[in-house]
Amino acid sequence: SYKVDLHTPSSSSSGGVRYDVWKTYVDKMQSVYDMYDAQWEAAKAAVGLDPSEPLIHCSGAFDHSETIPVVGRLYLSERYLVFMSGVGARNYVIRLSCVSEIEPTTLSFSMRDCVQIRVEPELKSVLKRDVGITAQITPATASSSATGSSSGSAAAGAIGSVGFVDAPPPLASSSSTEATAAALASTISAQAHAASNLVKLYSISGEPIIFSFPELGETRMRDRWLSSIRELVASHQLHVHLGFGSSGRPPAHDDTEWPPEAAGSPFRGDVPPPLLTVAAALNVLRTKALNAALGRTTWLLMLFSNLDDHQDAVKYYVDSIRSAKGADRQSWVTRTVQSIVENMEINSRLYEITEDEPFDVQKLGEVIIRFWELVQPAVYMYDMYESLLHWRNPPASILALLVCLSIAYMDWVNALPSILIFVYVALLLGLRVKLVGLRGSDAALAAASQNAQAAGMYEFVKSVHDALQAFQNVFSRYNRQLGKLETLHTWGVPHLTWTLVLAALGLAVTLLAVPSRVLFFVLTIDAFSRHFRHPSGAADSYWESIPESSRRVKSGRKPQPSSQRPGKQKVK
């Protein structure tokens, strides 16, 4: 427990808690727990969210993610950060479990203090085992019930009532026709998918989503939003880090009555919030009440976003979940089956993920130029291969022919893969020597690798729109992988390349020592059992840790400068 100073500055430090201060705190707590927000209920119905999703905080806001700001209203719940625009249909539904970064920033051209949010790609989010997985959830499809706890009215100075574009009317009555009900369901489904896909595009591009608030000359609203979002996101991330999975979540609300119009919502299968997030949400509400009672701002109850200062309190929450988890005694067979079922669900969803960006001519030019740069070494090697076959350099062709004949004569065909891997390792080490010499430091090697990338500028002739869009997405995927290979082969991150060298040597020795039929058997078992295992292993973690060494063409919009407040701790 925490001791909170509820004395006013004029009160005696030796006395007890003043009655009027304590009554203000209790009354405010009751108001934040019980208040009904009609705009939040309309927003949930408009984008197909869980009718029982509680509201934690809301206020007017501006969306600065694009060139022209959009006015609207921002809502924070246990699982989502929702922005509903007042002009147009630029709505966002951001899953807090997918947020990778929350930073304060300032827009240089308008000098507005903002909150900058980055969302991680969907592929990475799915690998967090139970993020967005529909395990053990079979929501009902009965008529709507717009109840559910919600709290928080618009903050002082917030924008007034904001309407929703194409917002659905009240739920259809018994006298409504089937055609009207179908049209309403189609409208809600379209709005829900549009809000989800818009966030998905930002996660693919890596661009931030930026919000500011209606305040001038101060940052109290911005700081309140920043602190609340960080607290909830930190609790989601701690849940994943500790590996609690479904055992660290409350049971699904089986009695929640989803409206038939929300049947096609992409948020229908989202899992309940973690128990840690439920505690974080309560602490946010308590903080609002505490600030009102004290007449000043305090973040004492923001535990999960300040782990260093509140280790004991967070440990209490974590130990409580672990105790409840340990009390549910299950055999190792049951736990193994449950783990396999969860892994199969994750893999099934991974098969359906497509991170495709819309067609953009500028983006297409960038990815084609980058792709050509990355394939230059392969093109050079193919040219050498052709030159040998075409006898453009007779001495080299004769030497290559003699080597091939020797391999066949000495029956070294089975050892050929190992020989090629040894040659590959020799090329990597030779490139290191070429860059920094035999005794070059890792720091000098990292600096030298920045200048070791191939360069080239090729213009692309206009073609059919659909074909260009397909090329853009294919090249984007290949560029991300080839960029990682370039980082490894140019020693951009030396310790990762050393890991590759050691792994390659180990693989070469394994291929020499282990019979081929044993290797084939192991690879077959690995291939056919992959669906039943978690997709993220040691090799995947190693590959994900390799940065892309891409030198992207700068976009038209400059990156937003960040103004970091003293004492701020980044959510990890």
Side-chain angles (χ1 to χ4, degrees):
S1 61
Y2 279 81
K3 295 181 179 179
V4 182
D5 182 11
L6 295 178
H7 295 86
T8 59
S10 61
S11 63
S12 173
S13 59
S14 61
V17 176
R18 288 181 46 176
Y19 172 77
D20 56 342
V21 176
W22 178 253
K23 184 177 185 303
T24 302
Y25 173 74
V26 174
D27 292 343
K28 186 61 179 178
M29 282 295 297
Q30 182 178 0
S31 67
V32 298
Y33 274 113
D34 299 339
M35 184 171 292
Y36 175 86
D37 192 291
Q39 289 182 321
W40 171 237
E41 300 301 326
K44 290 190 292 184
V47 294
L49 295 181
D50 188 345
S52 63
E53 184 72 13
L55 179 64
I56 297 174
H57 189 50
C58 68
S59 73
F62 298 93
D63 172 27
H64 296 274
S65 304
E66 295 297 330
T67 305
I68 301 177
V70 177
V71 64
R73 196 164 184 80
L74 195 61
Y75 303 91
L76 178 65
S77 70
E78 292 178 350
R79 290 181 287 178
Y80 308 104
L81 181 66
V82 181
F83 177 80
M84 301 298 292
S85 63
V87 180
R90 192 170 183 80
N91 305 325
Y92 300 93
V93 178
I94 304 172
R95 292 180 174 92
L96 298 179
S97 57
C98 299
V99 173
S100 61
E101 182 180 306
I102 315 102
E103 294 287 347
T105 187
T106 302
L107 298 180
S108 57
F109 56 90
S110 62
M111 299 302 294
R112 295 194 63 85
D113 294 307
C114 306
V115 173
Q116 175 177 282
I117 300 171
R118 295 185 185 274
V119 183
E120 62 190 11
E122 185 180 4
L123 184 64
K124 185 175 180 180
S125 299
V126 172
L127 291 178
K128 292 179 179 178
R129 281 198 171 269
D130 57 350
V131 175
I133 302 300
T134 58
Q136 302 176 357
I137 295 182
T138 55
T141 57
S143 59
S144 173
S145 174
T147 59
S149 58
S150 60
S151 62
S153 59
I159 301 172
S161 299
V162 178
F164 304 114
V165 174
D166 296 329
L171 295 181
S173 63
S174 58
S175 61
S176 299
T177 63
E178 295 183 359
T180 303
L184 180 60
S186 177
T187 300
I188 294 178
S189 178
Q191 291 184 151
H193 281 87
S196 176
N197 291 335
L198 187 58
V199 175
K200 181 179 178 180
L201 292 179
Y202 278 95
S203 71
I204 295 173
S205 65
E207 294 293 328
I209 302 174
I210 302 174
F211 299 112
S212 71
F213 306 94
E215 56 184 350
L216 296 174
E218 58 183 12
T219 61
R220 277 188 291 182
M221 288 186 66
R222 194 277 304 270
D223 295 342
R224 184 161 54 246
W225 272 103
L226 191 65
S227 178
S228 300
I229 297 174
R230 278 180 176 161
E231 180 72 5
L232 294 175
V233 171
S235 64
H236 278 276
Q237 294 179 345
L238 183 61
H239 170 87
V240 173
H241 176 72
L242 297 176
F244 283 150
S246 58
S247 61
R249 298 181 183 272
H253 297 287
D254 295 332
D255 56 344
T256 300
E257 297 181 351
W258 282 75
E261 293 81 6
S265 171
F267 312 106
R268 183 71 180 267
D270 287 1
V271 293
L275 291 171
L276 295 177
T277 302
V278 175
L282 292 176
N283 288 337
V284 172
L285 296 177
R286 291 165 182 160
T287 297
K288 294 171 65 176
L290 186 61
N291 290 340
L294 296 177
R296 56 184 173 85
T297 301
T298 176
W299 309 118
L300 181 64
L301 297 179
M302 298 298 188
L303 308 180
F304 299 99
S305 55
N306 298 278
L307 293 177
D308 294 338
D309 299 332
H310 305 291
Q311 292 182 359
D312 294 337
V314 174
K315 184 176 183 296
Y316 170 79
Y317 286 110
V318 173
D319 290 344
S320 299
I321 296 176
R322 285 175 173 166
S323 298
K325 183 178 179 181
D328 184 15
R329 302 183 181 277
Q330 296 177 336
S331 66
W332 67 269
V333 177
T334 303
R335 294 194 301 269
T336 302
V337 172
Q338 290 179 349
S339 178
I340 291 176
V341 170
E342 290 184 359
N343 292 339
M344 291 175 63
E345 291 171 348
I346 295 173
N347 283 289
S348 297
R349 180 164 181 189
L350 287 176
Y351 302 152
E352 301 174 357
I353 294 178
T354 56
E355 297 182 350
D356 292 341
E357 300 180 62
F359 175 68
D360 185 346
V361 175
Q362 179 181 358
K363 179 68 175 180
L364 175 63
E366 293 178 9
V367 297
I368 291 179
I369 291 171
R370 181 60 181 157
F371 180 78
W372 182 256
E373 292 177 354
L374 294 173
V375 300
Q376 282 299 302
V379 173
Y380 177 72
M381 293 180 63
Y382 182 77
D383 290 341
M384 290 182 59
Y385 169 76
E386 277 197 334
S387 66
L388 291 176
L389 295 183
H390 295 168
W391 291 80
R392 296 173 185 170
N393 187 350
S397 298
I398 293 175
L399 179 60
L401 178 60
L402 292 177
V403 170
C404 293
L405 292 175
S406 300
I407 291 175
Y409 178 76
M410 300 297 294
D411 195 15
W412 288 350
V413 176
N414 291 334
L416 188 58
S418 298
I419 294 175
L420 293 176
I421 293 176
F422 281 123
V423 172
Y424 170 67
V425 172
L427 289 175
L428 282 177
L429 297 176
L431 182 56
R432 175 188 171 88
V433 173
K434 180 180 179 181
L435 290 174
V436 294
L438 292 173
R439 299 183 179 180
S441 63
D442 288 345
L445 182 61
S449 69
Q450 298 295 327
N451 302 322
Q453 300 179 13
M457 297 293 292
Y458 290 85
E459 297 183 356
F460 186 78
V461 181
K462 292 183 179 180
S463 183
V464 183
H465 175 277
D466 293 340
L468 292 179
Q469 181 180 5
F471 278 125
Q472 171 187 321
N473 290 305
V474 171
F475 287 157
S476 295
R477 296 189 188 98
Y478 284 139
N479 284 354
R480 288 194 290 267
Q481 308 306 320
L482 292 174
K484 293 176 180 288
L485 290 177
E486 184 188 48
T487 300
L488 287 177
H489 291 78
T490 57
W491 294 83
V493 184
H495 74 276
L496 294 178
T497 307
W498 278 118
T499 302
L500 174 64
V501 170
L502 296 177
L505 292 175
L507 178 61
V509 173
T510 300
L511 292 176
L512 287 174
V514 180
S516 58
R517 63 177 183 176
V518 175
L519 292 175
F520 181 80
F521 176 79
V522 172
L523 293 176
T524 301
I525 296 298
D526 176 78
F528 283 91
S529 64
R530 191 167 300 170
H531 182 69
F532 303 98
R533 293 181 284 110
H534 191 267
S536 181
D540 300 299
S541 301
Y542 169 76
W543 185 254
E544 289 296 328
S545 66
I546 303 172
E548 297 179 33
S549 60
S550 58
R551 297 176 298 156
R552 301 184 181 276
V553 181
K554 294 184 179 179
S555 58
R557 184 162 64 88
K558 296 182 179 179
Q560 308 297 337
S562 175
S563 58
Q564 182 171 326
R565 292 177 58 84
K568 187 263 310 171
Q569 293 187 358
K570 182 178 179 181
V571 175
K572 296 183 179 178

